[in-house]
Amino acid sequence: MSRSARLLRLLDLLRRARQPQTGPALAQTLDISLRTLYRDIGTLRDQGADILGDPGLGFEMRPGFLLPPLMFTPDELEALMLGAQWVGNQADGQLAAAAASALGRIRANLPMDLRIELDTSGLLVPSTQAIPQEPWQGPLRAAIRSQHKVLLHYRDQKDQTSERRVWPFAMGFFEHVRVLAAWCELRQDFRHFRADRVLEVEILAERYPESRARLIQRWSRQMGHKAGQRC
């Protein structure tokens, strides 16, 4: 195991632990000496990790520490690169630009060897036929983040139009279509709206009364129950 991979593993052990970890236990898990472990903890502290503790007392890390980009493993970097390429092909221009910007920021902070690995990975996301990007993808994503109600002017599969006040909480990006998952005030139930059938979007000032996390939990249970009924 390389030193960078070992440091990453040590960070994961400390972040996931629910109580202080002793030096000997950490050293045994990593298959290194106590001296090497203490040196690695010092390195992580120098890089900004808020690790509490001392030899003989155990070590723990305060929550909130962000992993520096240089600590990503090659597999993690390839996953990030593939994800950014996919977003560039499938999402709206604003989100695609954000993915490219984030990947560029990570790349700029990588050591040269990992930067070369990223640039020459040979992993590609094939370009698909261009799909028209609906202009309200950005506003809908903003409404999901801020948990605001939305008024949709919508055309269904029978070509009939309607207005729906909905609570948007998720958006699915499929190969040929984007789908908004929301609670519909008219139907008093969860509904899915194809983005290409939305005619107009109005973000309302009112926030919906239930948290996005709670809506996702209820929606997931309902979808799981319906899937079980089809089996």
Side-chain angles (χ1 to χ4, degrees), residues 20 45 49-54 58-62:
R45 282 172 169 168
D50 194 0
I51 301 174
L52 304 178
D54 292 294
F59 299 93
E60 60 180 330
M61 189 165 65
R62 289 181 178 175

Side-chain angles (χ1 to χ4, degrees), residues 222-231:
Q222 187 178 104
M223 293 300 102
H225 178 68
K226 290 181 178 179
Q229 290 180 329
R230 291 195 295 268
C231 294

Side-chain angles (χ1 to χ4, degrees), residues 7 11 14-15 40-52 60-68 70-71:
L7 292 173
L11 274 175
L14 291 171
R15 287 194 302 177
D40 287 350
I41 288 176
T43 298
L44 293 175
R45 282 172 169 168
D46 291 341
Q47 292 180 352
D50 194 0
I51 301 174
L52 304 178
E60 60 180 330
M61 189 165 65
R62 289 181 178 175
F65 173 65
L66 299 178
L67 193 64
L70 60 87
M71 293 298 295

Side-chain angles (χ1 to χ4, degrees), residues 129-142:
Q129 184 177 0
I131 305 173
Q133 302 298 322
E134 300 83 7
W136 34 81
Q137 278 193 45
L140 283 176
R141 288 191 288 102

